[in-house]
Amino acid sequence: MVRQSTGLLFVLPALVVLAMLIAYPVFYTGLLSVTDQQGAFVGTNNFAAVLGARATPQAFWNTLWWVGGSIVFQVILGVATAVLLNQNFPGRGIVRSVTLIPWVIPGIVAATTWAWMFHTEFGIINYMMTAPGLIEAPIGWLSNRDTVLPVMIAINVWKLFPFVAIMVLAGLQSIPNDLYEAARVDGANFWHEVWHIMLPQVRPVIVAVTLLLVIWGLNSITIIYAITRGGPANLTLITPIQIFRLAFESFQFNQAAALSVIFFAVTIVVVFIYIRYLASSPAEAK
Amino acid sequence: MGAVTIRDVRKNYGSVAVIHGVSIDIADGEFVILVGPSGCGKSTLLRMIAGLEAISGGEIDIGGRVVNNLHPKERDIAMVFQSYALYPHMTVEQNMGFSLKLGKVSKEETRKRVTAAAQILGLEPYLQRYPRNLSGGQRQRVAMGRAIVRDPQVFLFDEPLSNLDAKLRVQMRSEIKALHQRLKTTTVYVTHDQIEAMTMADKIVVMHDGIVEQIGTPLELYDRPENMFVAGFIGSPAMNFLPGRIDQGAFVADDGTRIPLNPLPPAAEGARVTLGIRPEHFRLDPEGIAAKVVTIEPTGSETQVSAQLAGQDIVGVFRERLSTAPGADLRVSLDLNAVHLFDAATGKRLVA
Ligand SMILES: Nc1ncnc2c1ncn2[C@@H]1O[C@H](COP(=O)(O)OP(=O)(O)O)[C@@H](O)[C@H]1O
Ligand SMILES: [Mg+2]
């Protein structure tokens, strides 16, 4: 008993700091969401207002596409890269370092660079596609309603797949070599090794990384805000950007807070379901 | 059908040669043990047979087929690893059935063969468990089950018992032996433990620094070691060696102790030789050579004595219960039919 309370004393300073940094803003956001600008209690008015706004459902679906699309490709590309980098080939060290570049570049720099590359008239991408005749006319990547969100997702995938690759690679490198050898003696070819040894062995890493990607995806505004600010016509408006714009462009702090609370609740549910059903792997997990 | 022939096989890692031309003939159904000190190249040789390591020179032939350029999966072999190398994310049943699954054997047939193997090894209650929920001995059995299920031409074992405790090791020794008598599959088994080799093998291959020192049945190696290395490696406690020379039909140790030899040694008068005598080939003899006792270790059934004899530390094992004490003199003679003579320069056995 004595030991327990002593332990508590030791973690107390950290708990106090955590409480101030996390609990206070959460609590204050909750308070803002049920008051008006004068601080008077208004019940669920703010919630009704944000839920009634036309942008809200659109932002919700955009967020779903944004997070879902990003994660699928980040994980597939990241795992494939990791498997590749785990093979023995000359110059592997250099390739490993180069792979990390997108992850190291600051988001705002990457976003601005990509915005220029996708520019309709001056962008290198349209140039490279029109010059050899792949497409006839330049595409307005960032203004076309069918391309703008996929382009955002592509940039996000480019930015984060190295992170997945490095984490999975670390997992792959901890697989004992004799598992591969046993599999080879058992008759496995390379694809069998990937499917029956590598993937099951790095499954816990993939699960954990995916959870991180979900959270980052839900919170990330840098790339989209820097390039399109959610436009055109709200086509790339995701909920965190909607909150940001409500608060700092329209100065509707109370509605922004209400939307934050809803978003927070949905996020918690998503993360909870994820941990409950995916992160809790079957009996074999270590 | 499952014979293995190894012809002048060599292995280099870059410019470093670790196997210098090894030739072994293994008959179908034989249980052959590669034994030798750590680092002598046993695992490397086994892995070359398995196809996990490229062969730098020579030929390996399994069941009448040169396998030098075949993948492990095309060699029809099964291997039990020292670490067991069980797939941690698969149940015992899945571990054992994995090779059949890759070989596109039907589910029904797989189940039948896995069940049969589990029955032989007493693994039935554990089929649905994961490896981490098994004891060391059970894991070891699963690793063997994985090999049995495939019914291959050759079993390869790399020090399969070295991670088990002493008691379990002795038990598994006889189980593996019994399994071999039942399945009669050609087996190549690697160990550094000469007792394991002596008790299990039909034929022992003693390796040392990448070469074969001697091939023979356990008793051949014990009774007629071809050189001092084999003589010293096989048998426990190890053979005693006394350096000296031949003088008028007798052996004269470096300190002058004279041991008359009968039969006469096949060595030239005055030649430098090493006399080898196993601990159990000393006899208590009031007329014998004096040995100064250093320690006495009675085990009940026999007594092990370390002593100084002819200026050398020797170990003797006696069936009698000795009433002597450290520091006392013990008079012993040598069983002359069990004396081994080796050329001091080459270490080779001197044969009559
Ligand atoms: N990949 C490797 N590269 C270089 N040397 C190696 C390699 N693997 C093994 N060796 C060397 O080959 C020798 C034989 O090794 P090994 O076959 O594992 O010995 P054993 O199994 O008899 O203990 C050792 O000296 C070891 O250092
Ligand atoms: Mg070894």
Side-chain angles (χ1 to χ4, degrees):
Chain A
M1 292 312 278
V2 176
R3 284 187 59 204
Q4 266 182 5
S5 52
T6 320
L8 204 62
L9 273 179
F10 278 115
V11 295
L12 203 59
L15 282 180
V16 169
V17 173
L18 268 184
M20 292 194 325
L21 288 179
I22 295 176
Y24 176 74
V26 169
F27 169 78
Y28 191 62
T29 304
L31 189 69
L32 276 180
S33 71
V34 290
T35 52
D36 64 12
Q37 280 170 349
Q38 278 72 44
F41 181 73
V42 293
T44 57
N45 283 2
N46 291 322
F47 290 88
V50 286
L51 286 177
R54 263 203 308 136
T56 308
Q58 191 179 1
F60 176 78
W61 289 116
N62 285 345
T63 309
L64 217 59
W65 277 109
W66 160 255
V67 173
S70 295
I71 283 174
V72 167
F73 291 105
Q74 281 161 349
V75 169
I76 291 178
L77 202 60
V79 171
T81 308
V83 169
L84 201 71
L85 292 182
N86 194 40
Q87 304 306 306
N88 260 322
F89 57 88
R92 178 171 69 169
I94 295 172
V95 178
R96 278 186 189 172
S97 319
V98 169
T99 309
L100 269 181
I101 289 178
W103 163 246
V104 176
I105 292 180
I108 189 80
V109 176
T112 316
T113 312
W114 277 105
W116 270 106
M117 287 165 63
F118 275 112
H119 194 280
T120 313
E121 289 158 56
F122 311 114
I124 187 167
I125 289 171
N126 271 338
Y127 173 76
M128 287 198 313
M129 292 179 85
T130 46
L134 279 178
I135 50 173
E136 277 166 22
I139 295 177
W141 295 104
L142 301 178
S143 47
N144 188 320
R145 59 179 304 122
D146 294 326
T147 57
V148 63
L149 189 55
V151 163
M152 292 301 126
I153 290 175
I155 298 173
N156 194 31
V157 169
W158 172 86
K159 185 82 180 69
L160 283 182
F161 88 92
F163 170 74
V164 181
I166 291 306
M167 297 300 282
V168 173
L169 180 60
L172 286 175
Q173 289 183 332
S174 70
I175 300 176
N177 202 33
D178 55 13
L179 282 193
Y180 295 115
E181 294 185 337
R184 244 165 264 166
V185 171
D186 272 345
N189 60 29
F190 176 73
W191 297 112
H192 290 139
E193 283 175 36
V194 171
W195 190 251
H196 294 291
I197 307 292
M198 296 187 200
L199 290 185
Q201 286 289 296
V202 295
R203 201 195 115 142
V205 177
I206 296 178
V207 167
V209 165
T210 306
L211 179 59
L212 270 181
L213 291 176
V214 170
I215 295 169
W216 289 348
L218 287 173
N219 287 320
S220 72
I221 63 170
T222 312
I223 290 172
I224 295 183
Y225 194 76
I227 298 177
T228 66
R229 309 183 128 240
N234 288 350
L235 281 171
T236 56
L237 184 75
I238 57 174
T239 306
I241 291 185
Q242 190 191 358
I243 294 171
F244 184 84
R245 286 173 57 171
L246 262 179
F248 301 107
E249 290 179 11
S250 316
F251 302 107
Q252 299 286 349
F253 285 104
N254 303 92
Q255 286 189 23
L259 191 51
S260 296
V261 169
I262 298 171
F263 190 55
F264 184 58
V266 172
T267 307
I268 292 236
V269 169
V270 168
V271 169
F272 178 79
I273 292 175
Y274 182 83
I275 291 179
R276 183 84 177 69
Y277 289 100
L278 272 168
S280 63
S281 42
E284 117 272 344
K286 299 189 193 97
Chain B
M1 176 201 129
V4 179
T5 312
I6 298 168
R7 278 184 227 106
D8 195 30
V9 162
R10 291 160 191 282
K11 176 72 191 178
N12 306 323
Y13 288 110
S15 60
V16 185
V18 296
I19 306 260
H20 316 271
V22 163
S23 301
I24 306 170
D25 279 311
I26 300 168
D28 183 22
E30 213 170 11
F31 196 115
V32 170
I33 294 194
L34 307 181
V35 68
S38 232
C40 71
K42 310 175 297 281
S43 297
T44 306
L45 184 59
L46 195 75
R47 290 163 56 80
M48 284 196 284
I49 301 175
L52 295 171
E53 209 74 72
I55 300 167
S56 311
E59 249 178 25
I60 293 181
D61 180 311
I62 299 177
R65 241 178 359 147
V66 174
V67 296
N68 281 39
N69 296 316
L70 295 186
H71 278 284
K73 62 173 177 169
E74 294 158 337
R75 297 191 181 196
D76 200 9
I77 42 115
M79 184 154 169
V80 175
F81 292 79
Q82 181 169 6
S83 62
Y84 313 140
L86 301 180
Y87 311 118
H89 52 279
M90 296 185 201
T91 62
V92 168
E93 183 172 12
Q94 290 165 336
N95 261 285
M96 286 168 62
F98 185 58
S99 60
L100 302 181
K101 180 175 170 179
L102 294 183
K104 303 221 158 43
V105 175
S106 75
K107 280 217 168 74
E108 201 180 325
E109 172 73 9
T110 303
R111 180 173 290 271
K112 221 170 72 190
R113 280 159 75 172
V114 168
T115 316
Q119 213 155 24
I120 295 177
L121 294 163
L123 284 172
E124 286 154 304
Y126 312 111
L127 282 178
Q128 299 314 320
R129 288 219 199 153
Y130 287 94
R132 69 184 184 105
N133 296 328
L134 298 175
S135 71
Q138 289 161 346
R139 283 180 210 183
Q140 214 282 327
R141 261 174 244 243
V142 176
M144 294 202 326
R146 207 163 57 175
I148 293 177
V149 160
R150 307 205 11 218
D151 189 22
Q153 289 199 44
V154 183
F155 285 140
L156 305 175
F157 289 84
D158 192 354
E159 311 222 7
L161 305 184
S162 57
N163 290 337
L164 302 181
D165 62 61
K167 195 170 165 205
L168 203 51
R169 210 177 302 157
V170 174
Q171 184 193 334
M172 288 309 293
R173 240 159 40 196
S174 47
E175 280 192 31
I176 293 179
K177 191 77 193 141
L179 192 67
H180 176 253
Q181 259 142 26
R182 173 172 183 163
L183 302 175
K184 305 222 165 28
T185 306
T186 313
T187 302
V188 185
Y189 184 111
V190 163
T191 178
H192 64 268
D193 179 352
Q194 56 92 17
I195 298 187
E196 222 166 280
M198 291 297 281
T199 51
M200 295 172 76
D202 293 331
K203 186 155 95 185
I204 296 181
V205 178
V206 182
M207 290 183 64
H208 182 213
D209 282 350
I211 58 157
V212 170
E213 294 279 2
Q214 188 173 356
I215 301 180
T217 65
L219 292 183
E220 273 167 19
L221 297 190
Y222 189 82
D223 293 337
R224 293 184 62 80
E226 270 167 26
N227 53 49
M228 283 178 64
F229 177 79
V230 176
F233 191 78
I234 300 288
S236 168
M239 186 184 281
N240 302 295
F241 293 115
L242 305 174
R245 66 197 155 79
I246 299 294
D247 180 49
Q248 293 176 357
F251 170 84
V252 178
D254 286 349
D255 75 335
T257 309
R258 198 177 172 84
I259 301 173
L261 292 179
N262 179 32
L264 282 179
E269 185 71 17
R272 299 262 339 144
V273 297
T274 302
L275 181 148
I277 180 87
R278 293 202 183 275
E280 59 272 33
H281 294 141
F282 288 110
R283 300 240 178 78
L284 294 177
D285 179 356
E287 318 277 84
I289 310 158
K292 195 174 221 33
V293 176
V294 179
T295 60
I296 305 177
E297 298 168 21
T299 63
S301 62
E302 55 191 24
T303 310
Q304 185 172 321
V305 177
S306 335
Q308 280 269 325
L309 184 141
Q312 296 292 317
D313 291 324
I314 59 117
V315 173
V317 172
F318 302 92
R319 305 288 304 174
E320 298 90 343
R321 301 208 164 171
L322 299 177
S323 54
T324 180
D329 262 355
L330 193 65
R331 293 220 161 243
V332 296
S333 63
L334 282 58
D335 179 348
L336 293 184
N337 290 317
V339 162
H340 308 263
L341 281 181
F342 302 97
D343 185 312
T346 63
K348 286 220 164 27
R349 179 185 193 82
L350 297 168
V351 273

